[in-house]
Amino acid sequence: MGKLLRKPLNERIAPGVTLVQDINKDNSPLSYVGFRLIELEKGAIYQEELTDLECCIVALTGKITVSEGDEIFPGIGTRANVFERIPTDSVFISGGRAFQVKADTEKARVALCYSPANRDLPTTLIKASDNSIEQRGKYQNKRLVHNILPDVSEVASSLLVVEVYTDGGNFSSYPPHKHDRDNLPAESLLEESYYHEINPEQGFIFQRVYTDDRVLDETMAVEHQNAVIVPEGYHPVGVPDGYDSYYLNVMAGPKRVWKFHNDPDHEWILERD
């Protein structure tokens, strides 16, 4: 299966461009999901030509200009730190197109989220105001969700992207759920990646990835800017007291539908008064 926890690479790949995470089908067990995290110094440019993949460019922190052909989106991005807890701007780009990202501020952190390009779709700016915002859970199961590319969006052909905030002492992706069977309408098959940030940065969170038969059962201490790969199985996150968690999820599979199945051993948690 390969290692599910990915530490930062911190590789300089172009002048002023640092590659922090790089997850793709060649270096992971994932077939549908790809993820890159880059950091840019002011004026630095990242360029890429897409072939059979579509991409959602998320301005995590700082301001950037995204260009694709005649489409130019200058100065997008809304926050200096993800823990400002406000939605940000993103740009969707379909397969077969070339794009570039330029940093407009002293530093910019950018997530590149990939999945198969099943249709040719227009390049689209997803404004911060386009994100739907949800408060989910109760007791110690509370989290804040920013939906960038939910399954109800028609912007992408296969890509799903969401941001989640979990306060210290709480759990998320909980009770444990999975989406690894193509069994609609009950459950969809979606691979997933998690990109984590922690506040303060010296903290850590825990994430477990496990299947019903426990052939896959891995519990990880996850640190700032780590990523976790979820090819299958349940994948809860626990956040220790004193630290807050942010993660960016990328999901994709044969159908662009998010239908999950709760671990029956723990589903009773949802029924509490």
Side-chain angles (χ1 to χ4, degrees):
M1 185 63 69
K3 291 183 178 179
L4 302 185
L5 179 65
R6 296 296 175 90
K7 301 285 187 178
L9 299 169
N10 293 329
E11 249 177 57
R12 185 68 72 127
I13 58 172
V17 182
T18 300
L19 179 64
V20 181
Q21 290 286 349
D22 187 15
I23 297 167
N24 56 66
K25 62 183 179 181
D26 294 327
N27 66 17
S28 80
L30 302 180
S31 300
Y32 294 95
V33 166
F35 178 77
R36 280 189 149 194
L37 193 285
I38 56 173
E39 291 184 339
L40 306 173
E41 299 169 9
K42 187 171 185 176
I45 294 175
Y46 171 86
Q47 300 182 80
E48 183 173 350
E49 187 166 344
L50 299 170
T51 53
D52 58 345
L53 300 177
E54 60 189 24
C55 182
C56 181
I57 302 163
V58 183
L60 288 190
T61 62
K63 289 189 178 294
I64 59 175
T65 293
V66 176
S67 306
E68 184 278 304
D70 295 332
E71 299 279 3
I72 301 174
F73 305 101
I76 65 170
T78 63
R79 58 201 185 195
N81 188 297
V82 296
F83 289 98
E84 292 176 26
R85 296 184 180 228
I86 57 174
T88 191
D89 303 312
S90 306
V91 176
F92 170 82
I93 298 179
S94 196
R97 301 181 188 181
F99 68 86
Q100 72 172 33
V101 180
K102 180 173 72 70
D104 299 328
T105 46
E106 287 304 314
K107 289 185 179 178
R109 186 173 296 159
V110 181
L112 305 170
C113 314
Y114 305 91
S115 69
N118 296 330
R119 298 195 312 280
D120 184 25
L121 294 168
T123 295
T124 303
L125 172 64
I126 305 166
K127 297 177 184 177
S129 57
D130 295 331
N131 287 206
S132 59
I133 301 174
E134 300 177 58
Q135 295 279 354
R136 294 183 191 165
K138 59 183 180 179
Y139 302 122
Q140 280 67 57
N141 188 25
K142 294 176 184 172
R143 59 267 197 219
L144 168 67
V145 178
H146 297 162
N147 292 302
I148 297 171
L149 274 177
D151 60 359
V152 295
S153 168
E154 297 181 357
V155 169
S157 72
S158 69
L159 192 57
L160 300 164
V161 182
V162 63
E163 297 183 308
V164 180
Y165 293 90
T166 311
D167 291 341
N170 281 261
F171 283 75
S172 59
S173 297
Y174 191 79
H177 70 258
K178 71 180 183 72
H179 34 73
D180 58 13
R181 293 178 64 220
D182 191 359
N183 186 34
L184 289 169
E187 182 179 355
S188 56
L189 194 167
L190 294 172
E191 298 173 341
E192 189 164 15
S193 66
Y194 279 68
Y195 165 71
H196 292 273
E197 294 198 11
I198 298 165
N199 185 37
E201 292 182 6
Q202 72 270 24
F204 60 91
I205 59 94
F206 295 105
Q207 185 160 19
R208 184 185 182 195
V209 180
Y210 67 98
T211 52
D212 287 310
D213 58 12
R214 303 303 193 268
V215 170
L216 174 60
D217 190 356
E218 188 170 338
T219 301
M220 294 153 275
V222 181
E223 296 179 319
H224 185 67
Q225 292 197 319
N226 287 185
V228 173
I229 298 165
V230 184
E232 61 179 326
Y234 307 98
H235 39 275
V237 171
V239 184
D241 181 39
Y243 295 92
D244 293 332
S245 156
Y246 163 92
Y247 53 78
L248 180 77
N249 287 140
V250 183
M251 291 181 283
K255 298 184 180 70
R256 193 171 179 270
V257 179
W258 184 55
K259 288 289 185 181
F260 60 85
H261 170 78
N262 291 317
D263 185 336
D265 286 345
H266 307 296
E267 196 165 30
W268 65 270
I269 289 167
L270 294 172
E271 307 306 320
R272 294 174 295 170
D273 294 330

